[in-house]
Amino acid sequence: MASKSKPDAKPPILKGKEAEDKVLEYMKSMNRPYGAVDVAANLKGAVPKATVQKILVALTEKDLLVQKTYGTYPTTFFVFNQSSIESVPADEITAIEAQQKAVDEENKAIASELKTAQSGIFRHPRIH
């Protein structure tokens, strides 16, 4: 008779500051709009649904999130506040683009060398 396997252990339920930090970290890493139900589901029960809703509202009041309401039957979404994300200076973007272009050209040169080497191998008869 097969023994019953234990179901996966539920993650510990977070409370207080830990729960708030987890929700904020999740919203920042995803950087897209979510409703409270989605956030709670995606955190796999680590923070209860009702607590997630309260945390999202509290984070909105602290200007860490932006709250948006859509539709005739109001649906509320929350998204990480874009104004708090650091922007990259234009000169740094230019430097990164130049670096990328150099790497792309190096890759093309290596690919060309590889193609030449492979075609040379296939031209020669095998030596037995």
Side-chain angles (χ1 to χ4, degrees), residues 68-77:
K68 296 184 178 194
T69 304
Y70 296 100
T72 22
Y73 300 102
T75 304
T76 303
F77 291 97

Side-chain angles (χ1 to χ4, degrees), residues 2 30 46 55-56 93 97 108 111:
M30 292 295 113
I55 290 172
L56 291 171
I93 291 173
E97 287 172 343
K108 285 179 186 175

Side-chain angles (χ1 to χ4, degrees), residues 14-105:
L14 303 175
K15 295 181 181 179
K17 183 74 171 135
E18 278 185 328
E20 187 174 305
D21 290 345
K22 184 74 172 179
V23 170
L24 181 61
E25 175 190 328
Y26 176 77
M27 293 299 290
K28 184 176 181 181
S29 68
M30 292 295 113
N31 196 25
R32 57 167 282 190
Y34 280 108
V37 174
D38 297 324
V39 174
N42 293 341
L43 292 177
K44 308 218 185 312
V47 182
K49 203 180 330 178
T51 306
V52 168
Q53 179 67 40
K54 292 174 187 174
I55 290 172
L56 291 171
V57 170
L59 291 171
T60 301
E61 290 170 357
K62 294 178 183 178
D63 285 333
L64 296 171
L65 298 180
V66 175
Q67 181 176 357
K68 296 184 178 194
T69 304
Y70 296 100
T72 22
Y73 300 102
T75 304
T76 303
F77 291 97
F78 298 86
V79 66
F80 190 74
N81 191 345
Q82 302 293 309
S83 65
S84 61
I85 297 175
E86 285 185 39
S87 60
V88 179
D91 58 333
E92 192 173 331
I93 291 173
T94 304
I96 292 170
E97 287 172 343
Q99 211 174 14
Q100 179 189 2
K101 187 175 180 181
V103 169
D104 284 345
E105 289 179 14

